[in-house]
Amino acid sequence: MNPWSMILIGGAGMSVVMALLWLLQKRTGDAGIVDVAWGMGVGLISLFFAWGSQDGDLTRRVIVAALALLWALRLSGYILYRVLTMPEDGRYQTLKEKWGTAAQGKLFWFYQLQAIGSLLFALPMLIAARSTAPVGILDYLGIAIWLTAITGELIADRQLSRFRLDPKERGQVCRRGLWHYSRHPNYFFEWLHWWAYVCLAIQAPWGWLTILGPVLMLHFILNVTGIPPTEAQALQSRGEAYREYQRTTSAFFPWPPKTKQVTT
């Protein structure tokens, strides 16, 4: 199938899905469902791209589809559980308060932007799936990076979930395990995961463009939808305890924390 046709179909389909989910969140009052759909959208569009790239190496197409879909199922499943069992994410509560009566109109376009994001972040899988190069060392490196990143995310998410379920830790800051070395280890491993697709696609024509995937992801995490709103919410709910966490612990890359300076 022509790649431009696949991009058009994938984008249009995701736009319709996000419009329907916007209607759903109007009824439920929880805008967090968009985070479930974003990740699952990347996985399903990637599966469609792998299926439609008939000229690409079959083994790599299977690898790309499997890795992208497994990543999407894990991430979206985890977020869906939180949406169903916890109050609406504080980020969306803050946005609704900020937007006031215009909130639903702005949320519609916010959802559509997420549809575009799903399509854009699936494009590396299209490039990788169309590669005719035989599977080799770079592909195995990509699989190794994927396994490392997903394992890290699973561990970080599990540590945070156990912390939240511990009544003794109510109102405190999670510093368990990976959270001792990074304030956002889940974001770090999510970013690392995108380098897997660079390795799978780099030998294809235009493969170098896939480097934009982790570069853009890093920008969004550090400056837009990741760390800034998450930390603003944490400061609001945990105050000085979180400020101390910020002073001692790396924001993103895992690193030994700074020792507290004792003043006399």
Side-chain angles (χ1 to χ4, degrees), residues 38 114 117 120-121 187 212-229:
W38 179 86
Q114 298 303 303
L120 290 177
F121 279 99
Y187 286 154
L212 293 175
V215 170
L216 286 174
M217 180 59 68
L218 186 64
H219 169 67
F220 280 112
I221 288 174
L222 295 182
N223 304 310
V224 187
T225 59
I227 291 176

Side-chain angles (χ1 to χ4, degrees), residues 8-25:
L8 181 61
I9 293 170
M14 199 62 206
S15 178
V16 171
V17 168
M18 284 298 190
L20 293 174
L21 289 176
W22 173 77
L23 291 173
L24 176 63
Q25 67 80 32

Side-chain angles (χ1 to χ4, degrees), residues 151-167:
T151 300
E153 281 195 85
L154 283 168
I155 293 171
D157 288 343
R158 188 173 184 83
Q159 289 169 343
L160 183 60
S161 294
R162 287 182 172 179
F163 170 82
R164 286 173 169 166
L165 291 172
D166 188 344

Side-chain angles (χ1 to χ4, degrees), residues 27-236:
R27 296 188 61 181
T28 63
D30 193 333
I33 192 68
V34 69
D35 295 327
V36 179
W38 179 86
M40 201 65 232
V42 174
L44 292 176
I45 294 173
S46 298
L47 181 63
F48 172 61
F49 285 166
W51 170 81
S53 301
Q54 302 294 327
D55 294 334
D57 180 83
L58 178 58
T59 302
R60 183 177 291 101
R61 287 164 53 202
V62 171
I63 292 172
V64 167
L67 296 187
L69 194 57
L70 286 171
W71 164 81
L73 288 169
R74 191 215 70 83
L75 179 64
S76 295
Y78 175 74
I79 297 175
L80 179 60
Y81 174 78
R82 292 182 57 185
V83 169
L84 294 176
T85 60
M86 298 176 65
E88 183 182 36
D89 191 313
R91 293 175 299 164
Y92 296 116
Q93 294 178 17
T94 301
L95 281 178
K96 288 178 180 179
E97 292 173 3
K98 178 181 177 182
W99 289 338
T101 56
Q104 286 303 321
K106 291 190 175 183
L107 277 173
F108 175 83
W109 293 112
F110 177 80
Y111 272 48
Q112 291 301 308
L113 284 174
Q114 298 303 303
I116 295 171
S118 293
L119 177 64
L120 290 177
F121 279 99
L123 290 179
M125 277 61 95
L126 175 61
I127 295 173
R130 294 183 64 81
S131 175
T132 58
V135 172
I137 187 65
L138 286 174
D139 301 284
Y140 299 132
L141 176 61
I143 294 171
I145 291 173
W146 188 94
L147 288 171
T148 301
I150 297 302
T151 300
E153 281 195 85
L154 283 168
I155 293 171
D157 288 343
R158 188 173 184 83
Q159 289 169 343
L160 183 60
S161 294
R162 287 182 172 179
F163 170 82
R164 286 173 169 166
L165 291 172
D166 188 344
K168 295 183 296 184
E169 300 288 2
R170 196 176 304 277
Q172 300 302 309
V173 176
C174 180
R175 295 174 181 262
R176 296 182 178 181
L178 293 170
W179 301 85
H180 180 71
Y181 301 99
S182 169
R183 301 201 301 269
H184 303 280
N186 51 344
Y187 286 154
F188 168 76
F189 285 109
E190 173 61 24
W191 169 76
L192 179 65
H193 142 267
W194 288 96
W195 287 100
Y197 308 116
V198 175
C199 293
L200 289 163
I202 197 68
Q203 299 179 84
W206 300 98
W208 60 272
L209 284 174
T210 59
I211 296 174
L212 293 175
V215 170
L216 286 174
M217 180 59 68
L218 186 64
H219 169 67
F220 280 112
I221 288 174
L222 295 182
N223 304 310
V224 187
T225 59
I227 291 176
T230 301
E231 297 219 328
Q233 185 66 29
L235 286 169
Q236 184 177 350

